[in-house]
Amino acid sequence: VSIATIADLNEAELVARIQGRLAKPPDWVVVGIGDDAAVIEPERNRLEVLTVDALVEGVHFERRFTPADAIGYRALAVNLSDLAAMGASPRVALLSLALPQDLLCTDFDAMVGGLAALAARHHIHLVGGNLTRTSGPLVLDVTVTGSVKRRQVLTRQGARPGDEILVTGSLGAAAAGLQFLQQETEPSQTSANLAPAQQLVHRYRYPQPRLRMGQLLSRSKAATSCVDLSDGLADGLRQIAKASDVGIAIDADAIPIDSDARAWFQSQGRDPVLEALTRGDDYELAICLRPRQRGRLAAAIRHGDAPVTRVGVCTAALDLVLRRIVDGRSHLEPLPQGYSHFK
Amino acid sequence: VSIATIADLNEAELVARIQGRLAKPPDWVVVGIGDDAAVIEPERNRLEVLTVDALVEGVHFERRFTPADAIGYRALAVNLSDLAAMGASPRVALLSLALPQDLLCTDFDAMVGGLAALAARHHIHLVGGNLTRTSGPLVLDVTVTGSVKRRQVLTRQGARPGDEILVTGSLGAAAAGLQFLQQETEPSQTSANLAPAQQLVHRYRYPQPRLRMGQLLSRSKAATSCVDLSDGLADGLRQIAKASDVGIAIDADAIPIDSDARAWFQSQGRDPVLEALTRGDDYELAICLRPRQRGRLAAAIRHGDAPVTRVGVCTAALDLVLRRIVDGRSHLEPLPQGYSHFK
C-alpha cells in the first residue's frame, strides 16, 4: 500500500509514527504520550523553566529551503536556545502540529525524526502534544521545560553600568546561509564557493543551542544577565538594556562575524556589521558580566563548547550605540533595530 | 489615531495589550512574561501535569460563529478540561498565537480577554507565550500545567470489568448549538424557539471545564479511570477501553442528553443518541468506578458542581456495544466511532 500524504492517516497512526522515533522515557515521566495530559515528577530543589516557540511556514521557514528534518530540528532548537539563555537543563517537550493535508508522509517522518534526534542529543523527552489539520501553512508549536537552581537563574535583568558584554560563538552565518538559499534559484547556478556556502546553509538549518554554555555560566554565577540571539544581537541587547535599565555601547570591530559570512555579505555589497547585528537565526547567547568576574567566566569557557568574545560594555547613559573606527577615528551611531516578524 | 488591525502593532505592543488584562502573578512565579522563558517554583510533594491543545480557525471554530472572546475562552477551556480529566489543579498557561494580519485589534483584545477571564476564574496564571503572524488561519496553541498528588492521578488506565461508567453533566448541547449556528444564515430567520437555541449556542461557545469534579474524584480515590469528552462520549470510552483493556456496554436510554439538544436533534430528523455519542465539544468527564466505591463517589458528587449519571458498565468481553430498547426488547449495536478532525 502506498501512503502519499498525511491525509491518508488518522490521528492514532500519526501518533504511532511519532512514538516509534522516541527513546524510552525515564522513570520520572509518570504518564507519557497517550493520555489527556502528561504527568512528570518535578526535579527536587529546582525551579522549573517553561517556554513555547512557534515556527510558521512562510514566516520562519520555507519548505523549499528547509529539508523536513531541519524543520523539526529547528522547532526544538529555538526552544532549547531559550532554556540555554536561562541557564536551565532540558527536561520535557510537548509538540503541537498543524498539518496541511498535502504534507508527504515521508516529510512528516523526517520532520519528527529531526526533532527526535536533537531531543535525544540533549536528553529532553517528548511527553505529549497535539495534532490537527489546517487549511493554511504548516505550524510547529513546541513547548519545553527545564530546571535550574533558584540562585542560578539567568535573566535579562541584572546588568549594571560597567558590565562587559560578551557573545558566544560567531554571528551572521545563519543569515548568510538563508540569503544564499533565497538567491539560489537553480542548483546548477551554484558558484565556485560551494563548500563555504554549504557550511553557511548548514548553520542556518541546524543551529546549535548553547545549552552547555548557558549551564556553565549559570553555575559559575559569572553572568549578571543573559539573552539568546534568536532575533539578532541588536534585538537581544535592546532586551537586556530595557530589562536592566542600562545603556549599551558596542564596538563594531569586536563583533565575532563568521568569516565565510563576512565574505558572503561583502560579495553582496552588504555591511557585515549591520547584517550580523540585525539578522535573526543566530542562536548564540549574549551575556553581561562584572569585570571582576572574568576569572569565573574563564573557568566556564574552558569547559564550554563555544568561544566567547567581548563586544562592548553596559553604560549609565541609556543610549544604545555602535562605535566604529572610520579612518582611524572613533565614530558613534545608534545601534540598529533588530529583526521583527511583525511591523 | 485609529488602529484597525494587528498589522498596525508591533510585538511589544501586542504583548503589552495581553499583560494589561492579566492579574498580578503569585510569588511562586519567579519570572513571568518578558524574558526568554518563564520560571516557576514547583508545588511541593506534587506531580506536574502538562498538556497542549490547539484551536485552528476553519477546523475547530469559525470566526463568523464564534465571538472573539469565546475563541480565547475555548482555547483555554479545552486545556483545563484535560487537567480536569487527570484530577489536577491548574497552575500556569503559555499562549502561542499565529495571527492573520487582518485580525482586528478589538478582536485581538476580546480574544485575550476571554482567555484571561477564564484564567482568573480557575486561578491559572499566564506566564509566557509566543506571537507570530501567519498568512493562514488564526491558530491558538495553549499549554497548561497543573499539579496533583502522586496517588491521586486519574488516567485512562485502570478500568476493570464490572466497573460502572459514569458521565458528568449533560451531553449534546454544544453540538446542537453549533448545528444551530451553522444553519442560521440570517439573524432574522431565527425561529420562535430562541431562548433554548441561545442556551445551546452558549454551551457551545463557553464550555465549563469540570475541574472541581475532577479534583473531587481524584481526592476521593473513587474513580479507576477518567477521560474528558472533547471528541465525544464514544471516542472517550474507546480511549478508556483501549488503555484499560476492557469492553464497554452503554445503555442508550441512560445517556444524559440535554433536553433542549434532544428537541433540536429530533427537529432535524437526527438520532439524539448518536449525536450525543459522536459529536465533540462536550467537555464533560467519563469516569469508571468499582461498584463498592459508590459511597466515596456520592461524597464527591455532593460537593461537586455537576450531576453524575450512570450510563453503562465495563465488560470482560472486549466489544464496545450500545444497548437500545426497541419495542420493549433489548437490542445490541456496535458503539459508533467518535469525532475525528482527521480522516
Side-chain angles (χ1 to χ4, degrees):
Chain A
V1 184
S2 154
I3 295 171
T5 73
I6 59 121
D8 297 316
L9 299 174
N10 65 31
E11 191 171 350
E13 289 165 332
L14 289 169
V15 172
R17 287 172 97 106
I18 294 173
Q19 285 187 288
R21 294 182 169 267
L22 301 179
K24 189 175 174 294
D27 287 345
W28 50 263
V29 175
V30 179
V31 177
I33 293 173
D35 216 300
D36 288 292
V39 182
I40 65 167
E41 206 172 316
E43 199 168 353
R44 287 172 75 90
N45 301 317
R46 293 286 187 286
L47 297 180
E48 183 177 34
V49 180
L50 302 109
T51 185
V52 62
D53 250 318
L55 292 193
V56 179
E57 179 185 354
V59 178
H60 303 94
F61 68 91
E62 301 286 342
R63 272 199 259 174
R64 72 204 148 101
F65 296 153
T66 320
D69 74 303
I71 296 172
Y73 177 104
R74 281 169 57 86
L76 180 59
V78 301
N79 278 285
L80 293 179
S81 182
D82 284 325
L83 291 185
M86 306 301 286
S89 304
R91 296 202 88 214
V92 303
L94 303 171
L95 172 63
S96 179
L97 295 172
L99 301 167
Q101 293 294 279
D102 67 353
L103 185 70
L104 297 176
C105 287
T106 49
D107 284 346
F108 176 84
D109 289 344
M111 192 169 76
V112 172
L115 186 147
L118 185 65
R121 190 182 314 161
H122 290 291
H123 308 290
I124 188 164
H125 304 278
L126 189 68
V127 296
N130 191 68
L131 295 175
T132 175
R133 62 185 172 82
T134 177
S135 63
L138 174 61
V139 180
L140 301 92
D141 248 288
V142 177
T143 303
V144 296
T145 77
S147 66
V148 64
K149 283 193 185 170
R150 179 183 288 270
R151 301 185 59 145
Q152 298 179 1
V153 179
L154 297 174
T155 70
R156 297 174 181 180
Q157 291 177 38
R160 287 199 299 206
D163 282 5
E164 297 182 348
I165 300 169
L166 300 109
V167 169
T168 63
S170 63
L171 303 181
L178 175 59
Q179 289 172 13
F180 175 81
L181 287 168
Q182 286 169 333
Q183 291 192 13
E184 191 195 35
T185 47
E186 288 185 29
S188 59
Q189 292 187 359
T190 304
S191 72
N193 292 323
L194 191 62
Q198 283 185 335
Q199 178 59 22
L200 296 172
V201 166
H202 189 84
R203 289 279 295 276
Y204 167 69
R205 288 178 176 161
Y206 304 97
Q208 301 288 330
R210 295 297 183 194
L211 283 160
R212 186 165 168 74
M213 204 64 212
Q215 289 161 35
L216 287 168
L217 286 167
S218 142
R219 286 172 200 159
S220 74
K221 298 183 191 165
T224 58
S225 60
C226 185
V227 68
D228 97 315
L229 303 184
S230 47
D231 292 332
L233 177 59
D235 176 78
L237 295 177
R238 217 168 272 278
Q239 303 292 344
I240 284 182
K242 191 177 164 196
S244 298
D245 206 23
V246 295
I248 299 277
I250 297 298
D251 286 314
D253 290 347
I255 298 171
I257 303 172
D258 177 89
S259 57
D260 291 334
R262 183 187 294 275
W264 166 265
F265 293 134
Q266 285 169 339
S267 77
Q268 302 296 305
R270 291 183 164 140
D271 177 0
V273 170
L274 285 186
E275 296 292 312
L277 275 167
T278 61
R279 298 293 165 187
D281 295 326
D282 285 320
Y283 291 92
E284 298 295 347
L285 304 177
I287 309 139
C288 297
L289 176 86
R290 308 232 192 292
R292 67 169 186 275
Q293 301 290 354
R294 275 208 148 259
R296 288 188 178 181
L297 179 76
I301 293 171
R302 256 199 313 280
H303 299 96
D305 51 358
V308 174
T309 308
R310 184 190 184 284
V311 296
V313 66
C314 297
T315 60
L318 295 183
D319 316 87
L320 290 88
V321 296
L322 177 66
R323 194 168 68 98
R324 299 207 195 224
I325 308 293
V326 182
D327 300 330
R329 298 182 60 171
S330 180
H331 176 83
L332 292 182
E333 59 190 78
L335 194 71
Q337 295 289 330
Y339 182 74
S340 173
H341 295 300
F342 282 89
K343 176 180 95 152
Chain B
V1 182
S2 154
I3 294 172
T5 72
I6 59 119
D8 297 317
L9 299 173
N10 65 31
E11 190 170 351
E13 290 164 332
L14 290 169
V15 171
R17 287 171 97 105
I18 295 173
Q19 285 188 288
R21 295 183 169 264
L22 301 179
K24 189 175 174 296
D27 288 342
W28 52 262
V29 175
V30 179
V31 177
I33 292 173
D35 216 300
D36 288 291
V39 182
I40 65 167
E41 205 171 317
E43 199 168 352
R44 288 173 76 90
N45 301 317
R46 292 286 188 287
L47 297 180
E48 184 178 34
V49 180
L50 301 110
T51 185
V52 62
D53 250 317
L55 293 193
V56 179
E57 179 185 354
V59 178
H60 304 94
F61 67 91
E62 300 285 342
R63 272 199 259 175
R64 71 203 148 101
F65 295 154
T66 320
D69 74 304
I71 295 173
Y73 177 104
R74 281 170 56 87
L76 180 59
V78 301
N79 278 284
L80 293 178
S81 182
D82 283 324
L83 290 184
M86 307 300 287
S89 304
R91 296 203 88 214
V92 303
L94 303 171
L95 172 62
S96 179
L97 295 172
L99 302 167
Q101 293 295 281
D102 67 351
L103 185 71
L104 297 175
C105 288
T106 49
D107 284 345
F108 175 85
D109 289 344
M111 192 169 75
V112 171
L115 187 146
L118 185 64
R121 191 183 311 161
H122 291 291
H123 307 290
I124 189 164
H125 303 278
L126 190 66
V127 295
N130 191 69
L131 295 174
T132 176
R133 61 184 173 82
T134 178
S135 63
L138 174 61
V139 180
L140 302 92
D141 249 287
V142 177
T143 303
V144 296
T145 76
S147 65
V148 65
K149 282 193 186 171
R150 180 183 288 271
R151 300 185 59 141
Q152 297 179 2
V153 179
L154 297 174
T155 70
R156 296 174 179 179
Q157 291 176 37
R160 288 199 298 207
D163 282 6
E164 297 183 346
I165 300 169
L166 302 107
V167 169
T168 63
S170 63
L171 303 181
L178 176 58
Q179 289 171 16
F180 176 81
L181 287 168
Q182 287 168 334
Q183 290 192 12
E184 192 194 35
T185 47
E186 289 183 28
S188 59
Q189 292 187 358
T190 304
S191 71
N193 292 322
L194 191 62
Q198 282 185 335
Q199 178 60 22
L200 295 173
V201 165
H202 189 84
R203 288 278 296 276
Y204 167 70
R205 288 178 175 162
Y206 304 97
Q208 301 287 329
R210 295 296 184 194
L211 282 160
R212 184 165 170 74
M213 205 65 211
Q215 288 162 37
L216 287 168
L217 286 167
S218 142
R219 286 171 201 161
S220 74
K221 298 182 191 166
T224 58
S225 60
C226 184
V227 67
D228 97 313
L229 303 185
S230 45
D231 292 332
L233 177 59
D235 176 77
L237 295 177
R238 218 168 272 277
Q239 304 291 346
I240 284 183
K242 191 178 163 195
S244 299
D245 206 24
V246 294
I248 298 277
I250 297 298
D251 286 314
D253 289 347
I255 298 170
I257 303 172
D258 176 270
S259 58
D260 291 332
R262 182 188 295 274
W264 166 265
F265 293 134
Q266 284 169 339
S267 77
Q268 303 296 305
R270 291 184 164 139
D271 176 1
V273 171
L274 285 186
E275 295 294 311
L277 275 168
T278 62
R279 298 293 166 186
D281 296 325
D282 285 320
Y283 292 91
E284 299 294 347
L285 303 177
I287 308 139
C288 298
L289 176 86
R290 307 233 191 293
R292 68 169 186 275
Q293 300 290 354
R294 276 209 146 259
R296 287 187 178 181
L297 180 76
I301 293 171
R302 256 198 315 279
H303 299 96
D305 52 359
V308 174
T309 309
R310 185 190 183 283
V311 296
V313 67
C314 296
T315 60
L318 296 183
D319 316 86
L320 290 88
V321 297
L322 176 66
R323 194 169 67 98
R324 299 207 195 225
I325 308 294
V326 182
D327 298 331
R329 297 181 60 171
S330 180
H331 175 83
L332 292 183
E333 58 190 78
L335 194 72
Q337 294 290 331
Y339 182 73
S340 172
H341 296 300
F342 281 89
K343 173 180 94 155

